[in-house]
Amino acid sequence: MGKPTGFMDIEKVDRGYKPVSERISNYKEFVIPLTKEETIKQAARCMDCGVPYCHNGCPVNNQIPDWNDLVYSNDWKNALENLHSTNNFPEFTGRICPAPCEASCTLNIIDSPVTIKSIECAIVDKAWDNGWIKPQVNPSKTNKKIGIIGSGPAGLSAAQQLSRAGHSVVVYEKNKKMGGLLRYGIPDFKMEKTHIDRRLEQLTAEGIQFQSGVELGVDIEISDLVKKHDAVILACGSEKPRDLAIEGRNSDGIHFAMDFLPQQNRRVGNEKLEGAKEIIADGKHVVVIGGGDTGSDCIGTSIRQGALSVT
């Protein structure tokens, strides 16, 4: 704990946003990072709790007090190493995770929580800017072959861990580009796809092979994959939406979010829609049912497409 009184002396400050008029005119990220000095001050607010509830709140068990203290001490390289010990891709979570760690922060009981998500993102962004993130190749090979179905965050994380253990890894993806929900579900204004692309360069350099446009059950059968590999991992995610059995559900103009959002991501990524019926909000009055992250994505996308109103 670098500054024992930090949580009393320093007020919470978090990342800001570009003006609404500017950010709704494009699909680029609109969050304004904290400066290095601001990030160090915010890290000083961490209380280094004896029982850090942020660990419990974090789905990947990030060692949050540890890298907060390292940032406060201006030891960014060791902060990165600590962060990477539990999280393969903190630049993803630092942008799109809903930060249950902050809701779990002890300071949140009577004060504002530590800006954990912003600090996490600052660590890995600084690492990329300084060239600290490089391929890690295991020279000792096991001669075991692993097939992974799906190139979302689960598939890519599994691929990296298994490759670094010395196995030969092939990732199969039905879409043209790798990334799964990161690529096709999350709008670019929340996470630009350059973050995925540079990780894919790292993974390729680590020896992982990628085969896109290969759909399980269509282009290749699971029995064939099992024969070719010593183990097969299913990291397909779930694209099955929850429907509503209500009157009028089959009327024209009603769509699932995951029929709507990937189309815009493909437009931004210069991909063809390939025969799909185009869904676009331009000139329409839009109603979004559901107020979570997916609903938020639909709202932001509809506004950027030129919707007359969004409810």
Side-chain angles (χ1 to χ4, degrees):
M1 186 176 184
K3 186 174 175 58
T5 60
F7 66 97
M8 296 187 290
D9 300 340
I10 302 168
E11 293 292 323
K12 178 185 177 181
V13 175
D14 210 342
R15 294 176 286 187
Y17 303 114
K18 294 179 181 178
V20 173
S21 59
E22 178 182 341
R23 69 187 191 232
I24 64 172
S25 65
N26 58 68
Y27 289 89
K28 295 186 179 297
E29 293 177 15
F30 55 84
V31 174
I32 303 171
L34 297 173
T35 65
K36 174 185 172 183
E37 292 71 23
E38 289 171 330
T39 304
I40 289 173
K41 284 183 69 176
Q42 290 306 303
R45 296 186 70 242
C46 180
M47 299 167 66
D48 193 19
C49 302
V51 179
Y53 295 110
C54 54
H55 282 202
N56 191 47
C58 177
V60 295
N61 301 121
N62 280 339
Q63 300 170 49
I64 294 160
D66 300 59
W67 42 257
N68 276 335
D69 183 53
L70 290 164
V71 167
Y72 175 74
S73 302
N74 203 26
D75 190 353
W76 295 81
K77 275 192 173 181
N78 276 323
L80 175 72
E81 184 175 350
N82 187 292
L83 181 54
H84 267 156
S85 72
T86 55
N87 188 342
N88 293 71
F89 312 121
E91 66 270 38
F92 302 163
T93 51
R95 285 170 168 81
I96 59 176
C97 178
C101 55
E102 294 188 18
S104 304
C105 176
T106 304
L107 265 178
N108 201 40
I109 298 172
I110 59 168
D111 199 345
S112 300
V114 176
T115 56
I116 299 168
K117 180 177 174 180
S118 295
I119 297 167
E120 173 185 26
C121 202
I123 294 169
V124 68
D125 284 354
K126 185 176 181 64
W128 280 112
D129 290 343
N130 285 279
W132 298 340
I133 299 176
K134 299 183 183 299
Q136 298 179 29
V137 181
N138 188 341
S140 302
K141 303 302 180 185
T142 64
N143 296 320
K144 298 289 186 182
K145 297 179 179 179
I146 313 294
I148 298 177
I149 313 300
S151 67
L156 295 181
S157 297
Q160 186 169 63
Q161 293 301 111
L162 290 164
S163 177
R164 289 179 177 180
H167 307 311
S168 297
V169 180
V170 182
V171 178
Y172 300 90
E173 169 59 51
K174 68 179 180 182
N175 291 300
K176 280 191 173 181
K177 296 181 180 180
M178 298 289 161
L181 194 69
L182 295 169
R183 173 89 59 185
Y184 293 104
I186 295 163
D188 287 68
F189 55 80
K190 282 192 173 177
M191 192 187 79
E192 294 176 25
K193 307 317 171 198
T194 52
H195 302 297
I196 306 171
D197 295 336
R198 64 186 177 186
R199 277 295 182 182
L200 290 171
E201 290 178 10
Q202 180 196 27
L203 298 180
T204 301
E206 290 180 358
I208 298 166
Q209 298 179 46
F210 295 98
Q211 293 190 20
S212 60
V214 179
E215 185 171 359
L216 185 64
V218 177
D219 302 298
I220 192 168
E221 295 299 327
I222 188 69
S223 56
D224 295 328
L225 283 177
V226 170
K227 290 176 185 176
K228 289 173 62 175
H229 300 92
D230 294 286
V232 175
I233 293 177
L234 299 180
C236 314
S238 175
E239 294 182 12
K240 184 178 180 181
R242 186 165 67 88
D243 210 339
L244 291 175
I246 56 176
E247 186 178 351
R249 165 63 186 87
N250 295 319
S251 303
D252 290 338
I254 299 176
H255 309 281
F256 289 121
M258 281 303 292
D259 292 331
F260 171 60
L261 294 171
Q263 286 196 3
Q264 185 56 48
N265 284 16
R266 286 189 166 91
R267 292 186 195 101
V268 175
N270 297 314
E271 280 190 65
K272 293 181 180 178
L273 299 186
E274 295 183 340
K277 181 181 177 182
E278 188 171 54
I279 308 169
I280 196 157
D282 184 35
K284 296 182 173 68
H285 296 284
V286 176
V287 173
V288 177
I289 299 176
D293 285 339
T294 307
S296 167
D297 295 344
C298 292
I299 291 167
T301 299
S302 297
I303 289 171
R304 285 164 176 75
Q305 287 182 354
L308 296 177
S309 69
V310 182
T311 303

